[in-house]
Amino acid sequence: MSRLAVLATYDTEGRLWPHVRRQIEAYAAAAEVVVVSAGGLREEDRAWARARAQVIERDNVGYDFASYQAGLDAAGDLTRFDLVVLANDSFIGPVVPLERIFEEMAARGVDFWGLTRNEEMGDHVQSYFVGFAPTTIASAAFAEFWRDFEPLDDRAEVITRYEVGLTRRLAEAGLTYDAYFVPRAHEHRRARARRSWMGVNITFDPDTDPHLLPDKTAEWNLVRNIGDQPPNPCNTMADSVLDDGRLPIVKIETLRDDPYALDAEALLRHCERAYPSVFEGVRDYLDHTREARGRRLTKVTPLSPERRLDGRALAYCAPAAGPDEGLRPSSRFPPGSLAGENTPPAQIAALVGSAPNVLEVGCWTGELGRRLGAQGCRVAGVEADPEAAAYAGEALAEVVVADPAATALSDLFDPGSFDVVVLADQVEYAPDPAAVLEDAHALLAPGGRIVVSARNASHGSRRLAALQGHWSMTALPVDRTPRRSYDRAGLLRLLADANLVATDLRGTVADPLVSDYGVPQKTLPYGIAEWVRDQPDAMVETFQVAARPAVPGERVEAPELVPAVAPETVRLTDAHTERAERVRAERRAGRRLPERVAELEEHVQQLEAELARHPLRRVAGQLKRRVL
């Protein structure tokens, strides 16, 4: 396979730093390489690069797209390549082999792609690393884009006209695109929380950035509501690089500027530990260039130790922390997730109500317990992490430090002590779920209930992910792998086997394309997304069920599912929906076609009969006979 890689690089000293050299070597092993240096290279770096690639040096004007154009021109006939990659030096990585990326994107069958997509200025693939298949290379839209290119000196205009504009022009020409990194639902939620936190804590420095000071109420409202804006995955989801390189790069801007004050130092430290060869020398590069190339557009107050504990999913590196400092399955409720009805905590709280005594198994830092306490409940908790348990103890009536997977609840509390026992995200991880339920059963007072929350194994995202080979057993940022999954029938059967009767069944809902399982949307076969959405429980992301001890001999019907919100309110209306609606319209039209034809034939017969009876018809016939 013939490939071309054009690398745009710039350094104030003309150096090729170690991370850039590693990129060049990786490209050279997989493709023909053109290195375009804006501003030129030092002699020793020029000699090193020429041994591995064609080198072009140009004036530092026009940003990366001017370098891309120079590299493409130097490569000559682009139609001889099966893949053309344009990349710059603004990131560290990739942390996964290039071949893995190339094979994955080739399997998706799109016309062009990037490592990430961004919707901040309109949906587009980000231009720091973008690949073009032969269909795009040979297209008139691709040729016209570079023919119309003019170097610009305004960075914002370059992004608008060329980065966003490239995707827009190619897409308008009917070319398809996608991104290697497909964010999961929890990453989207965390990104929104991070942006919201920044919007609340952001301050502007009038001495260095007076032009950024909001001067209108609407501008201040935009800052305050920044969490509602589309997030840039390179900043808000940067620590997904630690999830086996699902996001295969880290932007230098994230490490050097830390624009969200989410502890970029911790991110760098974890990356150095996870990918030592990739991040070797990066710290020296950042220190050396921080003054020359770092840019601080905003000042954000860093997270305090207390807030970092209360919201670990808010700071960088939460998914990748080690056994002593990582997330547990009970850290399922990041900051902000208690808001709204369509969340597991809200549905759990609704099922618990105002029960006097409640036990939460795996209470983490007590987020759910605080909500239940506000409802009038006295809440006790069990938590394996001593640090989190100490924080939860400030709000809960009692917190016992113990691992519920290794210690029986009956060894920690007296029988009949609680009106409700909450098991949220617990049965999936327990070695023996039935034993955990029976153990919780023994703690119930007369009339007591067990409330269980579990993820739906038959949610549409899991079905679509499995169909495309993107199935993952570790969709949540946890440090233990779920042992099993449950659909509705399986969860109710588990309760029945533990001698429990389900009395109430609720569920949070989410569209299959917006969930924890990364589902590449552009490559879904026609009709699949809509078909999956229409399947039973495909829109239900998690189940929350309340159960009481069974009475011997009783027969109880399974409860009806009550969704947190109407599924139609979260069901996406996208290209899949539009295509399906067009086909349904065509099928309806096709089914009516024979009927319509019969109507037209009958109408023609009526017209012919009327014409035959018309006096002019008889006169026309007489004239015709006389002429002939």
Side-chain angles (χ1 to χ4, degrees):
M1 176 175 285
S2 178
R3 303 183 182 116
L4 170 68
V6 176
L7 173 64
T9 181
Y10 166 72
D11 184 74
T12 55
E13 301 175 6
R15 297 176 60 175
L16 293 176
W17 290 85
H19 68 279
V20 180
R21 293 194 176 203
R22 284 190 291 270
Q23 290 173 356
I24 293 174
E25 289 176 335
Y27 298 145
E32 179 181 319
V33 183
V34 179
V35 176
V36 184
S37 172
L41 296 172
R42 300 186 310 178
E43 183 57 39
E44 60 183 280
D45 293 279
R46 183 184 301 112
W48 184 92
R50 284 179 173 170
R52 296 160 177 81
Q54 181 181 356
V55 176
I56 298 174
E57 298 176 76
R58 67 176 190 87
D59 294 335
N60 184 25
V61 293
Y63 291 91
D64 293 328
F65 273 87
S67 293
Y68 291 160
Q69 185 185 50
L72 293 175
D73 290 343
D77 180 15
L78 299 180
T79 59
R80 61 192 176 95
F81 297 108
D82 300 302
L83 176 67
V84 172
V85 173
L86 304 180
N88 63 28
D89 62 352
S90 66
F91 61 89
I92 310 299
V95 299
V96 300
L98 280 175
E99 288 296 338
R100 183 197 298 186
I101 296 174
F102 294 157
E103 291 174 3
E104 165 68 19
M105 300 316 296
R108 303 223 193 144
V110 292
D111 299 310
F112 66 102
W113 51 268
L115 293 183
T116 52
R117 289 167 65 171
N118 189 2
E119 299 181 3
E120 286 183 304
M121 303 175 69
D123 184 30
H124 64 282
V125 296
Q126 295 184 271
S127 62
Y128 65 86
F129 192 108
V130 57
F132 303 96
T135 50
T136 299
I137 298 169
S139 69
F142 186 76
E144 290 170 0
F145 176 86
W146 294 109
R147 187 187 63 219
D148 298 341
F149 174 80
E150 297 177 355
L152 300 174
D153 292 329
D154 184 281
R155 182 173 181 271
E157 190 175 359
V158 169
I159 294 174
T160 302
R161 286 185 57 180
Y162 298 139
E163 180 172 44
V164 180
L166 176 59
T167 298
R168 184 174 297 141
R169 289 184 66 168
L170 297 181
E172 288 174 352
L175 298 169
T176 59
Y177 63 97
D178 205 347
Y180 177 80
F181 174 58
V182 181
R184 295 167 175 162
H186 70 83
E187 289 165 326
H188 276 294
R189 289 192 291 266
R190 189 168 64 229
R192 288 195 297 269
R194 286 168 170 172
R195 286 178 62 92
S196 296
W197 180 85
M198 187 192 77
V200 171
N201 291 274
I202 193 172
T203 60
F204 293 88
D205 188 342
D207 296 327
T208 58
D209 301 299
H211 64 289
L212 292 175
L213 281 171
D215 58 2
K216 298 178 183 177
T217 302
E219 293 176 357
W220 277 112
N221 289 337
L222 177 63
V223 170
R224 298 308 180 200
N225 297 317
I226 196 171
D228 297 329
Q229 310 304 313
N232 182 344
C234 293
N235 286 330
T236 58
M237 308 177 193
D239 42 356
S240 294
V241 69
L242 299 166
D243 185 7
D244 193 29
R246 286 185 50 254
L247 175 60
I249 59 91
V250 180
K251 292 285 282 185
I252 292 171
E253 174 193 40
T254 301
L255 296 174
R256 183 167 49 207
D257 300 342
D258 198 5
Y260 290 79
L262 297 171
D263 200 351
E265 168 62 29
L267 175 61
L268 176 58
R269 185 169 60 252
H270 281 272
C271 288
E272 289 173 330
R273 187 182 307 152
Y275 311 108
S277 61
V278 176
F279 282 81
E280 181 181 358
V282 170
R283 189 177 294 274
D284 292 338
Y285 167 74
L286 295 174
D287 292 340
H288 187 86
T289 59
R290 197 178 305 276
E291 293 299 325
R293 301 194 62 180
R295 54 188 180 89
R296 267 281 192 191
L297 298 185
T298 60
K299 291 185 177 181
V300 184
T301 305
L303 286 171
S304 64
E306 293 77 15
R307 293 192 67 185
R308 197 175 297 281
L309 172 64
D310 190 29
R312 286 191 181 181
L314 187 61
Y316 284 143
C317 307
D324 296 331
E325 56 181 346
L327 296 177
R328 303 295 192 269
S330 55
S331 64
R332 56 203 175 275
F333 308 138
S337 67
L338 296 180
E341 292 301 311
N342 193 27
T343 61
Q347 296 305 303
I348 293 170
L351 291 174
V352 171
S354 58
N357 294 300
V358 178
L359 172 64
E360 183 186 2
V361 180
C363 64
W364 190 233
T365 52
E367 293 90 346
L368 178 59
R370 287 175 171 81
R371 175 164 184 159
L372 296 178
Q375 296 180 181
C377 305
R378 179 188 180 276
V379 184
V382 179
E383 176 53 50
D385 188 291
E387 186 182 19
Y391 190 85
E394 298 177 4
L396 275 59
E398 177 186 6
V399 177
V400 176
V401 180
D403 185 356
T407 306
L409 297 175
S410 55
D411 294 339
L412 304 175
F413 303 97
D414 295 331
S417 301
F418 300 100
D419 300 289
V420 177
V421 176
V422 177
L423 298 168
D425 292 343
Q426 294 296 316
V427 295
E428 302 101 315
Y429 299 89
D432 189 348
V436 172
L437 290 170
E438 292 173 0
D439 201 24
H441 185 174
L443 301 183
L444 293 179
R449 295 165 294 142
I450 293 176
V451 173
V452 176
S453 179
R455 299 176 63 78
N456 177 19
S458 62
H459 184 249
S461 62
R462 295 193 175 193
R463 306 184 194 200
L464 292 174
L467 284 173
Q468 298 189 84
H470 289 267
W471 177 259
S472 171
M473 288 299 294
T474 55
L476 289 172
V478 299
D479 58 358
R480 288 185 290 174
T481 300
R483 295 173 179 267
R484 54 187 57 78
S485 299
Y486 298 96
D487 59 6
R488 186 201 301 206
L491 185 59
L492 296 178
R493 189 180 309 115
L494 173 67
L495 295 170
D497 291 344
N499 202 29
L500 296 168
V501 173
T503 58
D504 296 279
L505 179 63
R506 300 186 176 222
T508 63
V509 294
D511 190 273
L513 297 185
V514 184
S515 189
D516 289 336
Y517 295 88
V519 179
Q521 300 181 27
K522 294 289 183 178
T523 56
L524 283 174
Y526 164 73
I528 291 295
E530 282 296 291
W531 180 84
V532 167
R533 285 168 174 151
D534 291 334
Q535 300 310 300
D537 290 344
M539 298 287 290
V540 181
E541 189 173 30
T542 65
F543 292 116
Q544 292 76 41
V545 55
R548 61 169 174 79
V551 176
E554 71 173 332
R555 296 176 61 86
V556 181
E557 295 292 331
E560 291 292 327
L561 175 72
V562 179
V565 295
E568 304 81 51
T569 62
V570 300
R571 181 166 176 157
L572 297 182
T573 300
D574 51 21
H576 303 288
T577 311
E578 295 170 359
R579 286 199 300 267
E581 183 56 38
R582 284 198 300 270
V583 169
R584 283 194 289 267
E586 292 170 359
R587 288 175 177 171
R588 287 194 297 268
R591 286 193 295 269
R592 290 200 59 216
L593 185 59
E595 178 183 345
R596 181 60 176 161
V597 170
E599 292 175 354
L600 292 174
E601 289 177 345
E602 181 180 355
H603 186 57
V604 169
Q605 292 174 358
Q606 292 174 353
L607 292 175
E608 289 178 343
E610 291 178 4
L611 184 61
R613 293 192 299 269
H614 199 281
L616 291 178
R617 177 71 177 269
R618 291 194 296 272
V619 173
Q622 294 172 359
L623 291 174
K624 183 178 180 181
R625 286 194 295 272
R626 290 178 181 178
V627 171
L628 296 176

